[in-house]
Amino acid sequence: MIDPLAAAMKAAASGLQAQSMRLRIVSENIANAESTGATPGADPYARRTLAFHSALDRAAGVSLVKAGEAREDDAPFRLDRDPGNPAADANGMVKRPNVDVLIEMADMREANRGYQANLQVIRQSREMAAATIDLLRSGA
Amino acid sequence: MTDLALFDLAARNARWLGARQAVVASNIANAHTPGYKASDLQPFEETLARTRLTPTATSPAHMGAGEAAIVRAGARETEGWETVYSGNNVTLEQQLLKAGEVSRGHALNVGLTKAFHRMFLASVKG
């Protein structure tokens, strides 16, 4: 059994890690929002998503959060007519990524909010630990 | 030490607050985990009533022994303010409010302990 305040910080740290992983995937999606294939008719970049799952840490007695493997979104690609594009097929259609930048932005804000909440927990746990330690100092 | 019941009570309260902080931290970490249900500890009064007698862990292999384990076993799933489509019922605002309660409770606890200690020293020094 570890100190519950340390356990709280461990849980918050796992949250920070998971949310930052999510931010990374979101930024990959936004960066590749217009990445088409290189050869005629080739598939473009497929949007990737991350699923979280909780994992009980028995020693600490808290539920940590783990980011799973990033998986591709199987939503259909957008089709644009652009015969001059190297990725255009015989009919002049180009497959564009299934990334909706608006959704990615919303996801980014949510990840950001989660990150801040975890950060707040760490800050507060640290203050609580500091206040407890301070009992020693002022006791004389 | 029955003579120092105030210190004992303060220590129990501090342990409960620490455990609650850990529970709130778990909830916040899992704020976006599909299917996760927020949990919370039972109020301190109830925990206090249940931990009058506690089994002691005499080996590291013992599970569920000690006061901390009993405090933790008091964690129950709670109703959140809202449940989203993924089945998750953690609301960050609600959890941060709880974290605020813990923080305030801890500040009070530490303040009282300091005051007890001052009184104790004053009586010892005469």
Side-chain angles (χ1 to χ4, degrees):
Chain A
M1 172 61 193
I2 63 171
D3 167 37
L5 285 180
M9 288 203 205
K10 197 172 175 186
S14 79
L16 288 181
Q17 199 183 3
Q19 299 290 0
S20 58
M21 191 66 177
R22 181 170 167 200
L23 272 175
R24 204 193 89 185
I25 300 292
V26 166
S27 63
E28 279 181 24
N29 286 340
I30 294 178
N32 285 293
E34 297 297 331
S35 303
T36 55
T39 53
D43 278 350
Y45 174 82
R47 172 179 183 246
R48 299 206 301 155
T49 54
L50 200 59
F52 290 168
H53 54 263
S54 72
L56 182 67
D57 184 326
R58 288 193 181 279
V62 290
S63 301
L64 305 182
V65 60
K66 293 261 186 295
E69 285 289 301
R71 272 184 297 194
E72 291 189 353
D73 184 347
D74 54 7
F77 298 117
R78 283 177 291 134
L79 281 176
D80 267 351
R81 189 169 162 72
D82 183 6
N85 196 304
D89 61 11
N91 301 321
M93 302 302 278
V94 179
K95 287 184 193 164
R96 302 268 184 205
N98 50 359
V99 176
D100 184 339
V101 177
L102 209 61
I103 291 177
E104 299 304 325
M105 291 306 254
D107 211 26
M108 189 168 83
R109 295 296 272 269
E110 201 180 53
N112 199 6
R113 223 165 61 101
Y115 194 90
Q116 281 174 346
N118 280 299
L119 214 51
Q120 177 65 23
V121 170
I122 290 188
R123 204 175 292 140
Q124 200 188 306
S125 302
R126 201 181 51 201
E127 276 168 18
M128 282 168 70
T132 309
I133 293 168
D134 211 42
L135 280 173
L136 281 176
R137 212 174 309 168
S138 61
Chain B
M1 276 197 287
T2 48
D3 298 338
L4 298 176
L6 289 177
F7 282 120
D8 183 49
L9 190 64
R12 277 162 186 259
N13 185 245
R15 271 196 288 271
W16 179 81
L17 286 165
R20 190 165 191 224
Q21 176 78 354
V23 169
V24 170
S26 291
N27 290 344
I28 291 179
N30 285 289
H32 300 134
T33 306
Y36 182 87
K37 297 277 181 264
S39 54
D40 198 356
L41 291 184
Q42 288 181 336
F44 178 60
E45 303 87 76
E46 286 171 40
T47 313
L48 194 62
R50 284 186 304 121
T51 50
R52 283 270 174 246
L53 286 174
T54 57
T56 308
T58 49
S59 150
H62 286 173
M63 295 212 20
E67 188 174 331
I70 292 179
V71 170
R72 247 189 293 140
R76 297 277 176 276
E77 286 187 359
T78 52
E79 296 285 314
W81 284 354
E82 59 176 3
T83 303
V84 294
Y85 186 68
S86 70
N88 185 302
N89 72 349
V90 179
T91 318
L92 283 178
E93 288 83 354
Q94 187 186 18
Q95 297 304 326
L96 286 172
L97 272 178
K98 285 185 183 177
E101 273 172 32
V102 171
S103 182
R104 256 178 292 133
H106 191 262
L108 177 66
N109 182 299
V110 171
L112 284 175
T113 308
K114 261 183 201 165
F116 293 163
H117 194 249
R118 255 201 319 275
M119 284 158 63
F120 188 65
L121 281 187
S123 63
V124 169
K125 283 177 185 164

